[in-house]
């Protein structure tokens, strides 16, 4: 007999997307010189990650009981209700990278990677070069932030107690292989450049 419990579908989806991105590192060095490199595989990852971000932002708003229907609604909702989300940095220590995928939400703009995702998704013939490494890294980093915040809210609702991001990251297993949030969110921190 096989026993099972509900899996963290969104977490597993993030890990699958991250795994696809890791495979591209065999062909594209993740460095400043290559941020403009674009490809079909990066387009696939950019669109997949951005679509999952949209799903998770909607779910976060549902859990917070906030009405929001599009990226601009999400921006306003997060500015008012989860401002710390906007300033979460992402670290890829293996390549010495650090970036903040949601920082444009500190103003009135959508993230550049989100605009690029829409252009690649709807007008690929004209904007294919925007399916580049920089936009893809930002989209997958944004997804890690969104999936972690989503699970924190979901765990809080399911467990009927308030848990912090540190407890959330410890519940999300296996750990990401490439992307990381701030060290303080992990019981076993790693060196960050």
């Amino acid at each position: 007999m096989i026993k099972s419990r509900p899996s963290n579908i969104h977490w597993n989806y993030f890990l699958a997307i991250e795994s696809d991105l890791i495979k591209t590192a065999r062909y594209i060095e993740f460095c400043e010189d290559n941020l403009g490199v674009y490809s079909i595989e990066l387009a696939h990852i950019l669109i997949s990650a951005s679509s999952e971000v949209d799903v998770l932002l909607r779910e976060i708003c549902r859990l917070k009981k906030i009405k929001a229907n599009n990226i601009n609604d999400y921006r306003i909702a997060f500015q008012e209700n989860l401002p710390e989300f906007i300033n979460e940095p992402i670290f890829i220590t293996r390549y010495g990278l650090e970036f903040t995928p949601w920082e444009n939400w500190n103003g009135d703009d959508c993230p550049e990677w989100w605009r690029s995702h829409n252009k690649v998704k709807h007008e690929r013939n004209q904007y294919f070069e925007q399916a580049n490494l920089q936009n893809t890294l930002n989209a997958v980093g944004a997804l890690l932030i969104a999936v972690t915040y989503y699970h924190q809210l979901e765990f809080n609702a399911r467990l009927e107690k308030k848990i912090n991001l540190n407890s959330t990251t410890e519940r999300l297993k296996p750990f990401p292989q490439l992307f990381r949030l701030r060290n303080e969110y992990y019981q076993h921190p790693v060196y960050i450049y």
Side-chain angles (χ1 to χ4, degrees):
M1 176 186 225
I2 297 174
K3 294 182 181 182
S4 69
R5 57 181 168 72
S7 67
N8 297 324
I9 294 168
H10 296 289
W11 184 249
N12 291 337
Y13 196 65
F14 162 75
L15 292 173
I17 290 171
E18 183 194 44
S19 176
D20 289 346
L21 184 59
I22 288 168
K23 290 174 189 167
T24 68
R26 294 182 66 195
Y27 309 99
I28 304 168
E29 182 68 19
F30 291 6
C31 66
E32 189 174 351
D33 290 343
N34 289 337
L35 292 177
V37 170
Y38 58 96
S39 71
I40 290 172
E41 186 62 16
L42 291 174
H44 163 75
I45 295 167
L46 173 66
I47 291 169
S48 296
S50 299
S51 296
E52 183 68 359
V53 163
D54 187 43
V55 168
L56 287 164
L57 295 180
R58 187 175 303 116
E59 284 300 303
I60 289 169
C61 288
R62 181 186 63 76
L63 288 167
K64 299 279 286 175
K65 298 179 178 25
I66 300 166
K67 186 174 173 120
N69 298 313
N70 59 48
I71 195 73
N72 288 317
D73 291 348
Y74 300 144
R75 177 184 49 80
I76 293 165
F78 280 71
Q79 285 173 338
E80 294 173 359
N81 297 282
L82 285 168
E84 64 279 9
F85 177 99
I86 296 168
N87 296 308
E88 288 290 355
I90 290 294
F91 301 92
I92 303 179
T93 56
R94 178 175 167 186
Y95 296 103
L97 300 176
E98 177 184 345
F99 49 97
T100 308
W102 295 105
E103 67 187 340
N104 291 64
W105 273 7
N106 283 313
D108 293 331
D109 290 334
C110 287
E112 179 61 35
W113 59 267
W114 181 265
R115 288 193 300 270
S116 295
H117 147 259
N118 276 325
K119 289 176 180 177
V120 171
K121 181 178 172 185
H122 298 293
E123 302 173 81
R124 193 166 305 134
N125 288 345
Q126 189 173 354
Y127 295 105
F128 185 59
E129 74 282 352
Q130 291 190 26
N132 61 41
L133 181 61
Q134 178 169 321
N135 289 326
T136 304
L137 290 173
N138 272 288
V140 178
L143 177 55
L144 174 58
I145 295 166
V147 74
T148 304
Y149 273 75
Y150 162 75
H151 277 295
Q152 180 189 25
L153 292 168
E154 194 269 331
F155 291 153
N156 285 344
R158 188 166 19 120
L159 301 173
E160 296 181 1
K161 67 179 186 176
K162 185 144 175 77
I163 64 169
N164 60 23
L165 285 172
N166 183 286
S167 295
T168 301
T169 60
E170 290 302 316
R171 283 179 164 79
L172 295 173
K173 301 266 174 56
F175 291 127
Q177 294 180 22
L178 188 61
F179 289 79
R180 266 185 88 89
L181 297 168
R182 299 172 201 254
N183 256 347
E184 66 240 32
Y185 298 154
Y186 300 95
Q187 290 181 6
H188 306 287
V190 296
Y191 175 73
I192 294 179
Y193 296 48

